[in-house]
């Protein structure tokens, strides 16, 4: 059975959609036309505890903007950044510098 998530559309209706979202729905989510919510429409909160990454490994995908600074530093280093320089930046600075590789 496919994993699903609940999303509120522009009209306020809550839809249950298969995850990961297809390209069209993912684009609508990035543009703000879909917002992830719980089944009852309340705000969705991802698990507070994300699994820690093993030392010396590279993240497979770009972290979410709300991921920990540690995850963003590891990602920045995997993209060629100097570790000390990446550590000196804030999470938001790292997300801005390394986060948006696709137009929104």
């Amino acid at each position: 059975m496919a994993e699903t998530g609940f999303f509120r559309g522009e009209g306020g209706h809550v839809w249950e959609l298969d995850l990961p979202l297809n390209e069209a729905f993912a684009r609508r989510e990035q543009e703000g036309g879909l917002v992830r919510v719980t089944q009852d429409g309340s705000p969705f909160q991802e698990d507070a505890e994300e699994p820690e990454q093993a030392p010396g490994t590279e993240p497979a995908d770009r972290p979410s903007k709300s991921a920990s600074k540690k995850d963003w530093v590891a990602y920045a280093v995997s993209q060629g950044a100097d570790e000390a320089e990446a550590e000196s930046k804030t999470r938001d600075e790292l997300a801005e510098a390394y986060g948006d590789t696709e137009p929104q």
Side-chain angles (χ1 to χ4, degrees), residues 9-74:
E10 293 167 333
H13 186 78
V14 175
W15 301 91
E16 184 174 14
L17 302 173
D18 288 335
L19 297 176
L21 295 175
N22 69 33
E23 188 176 325
F25 284 134
R27 187 173 33 254
R28 285 188 58 204
E29 181 183 27
Q30 288 177 339
E31 294 169 351
L34 284 177
V35 177
R36 184 124 187 223
V37 295
T38 62
Q39 187 172 3
D40 67 1
S42 60
F44 176 78
Q45 295 181 354
E46 292 192 39
D47 296 336
E49 289 292 319
E50 292 188 23
E52 289 203 23
Q53 188 173 319
T57 61
E58 295 181 0
D61 296 317
R62 182 180 68 218
S64 67
K65 185 165 180 161
S66 63
S68 70
K69 179 179 175 182
K70 179 181 174 183
D71 289 344
W72 274 106
V73 168

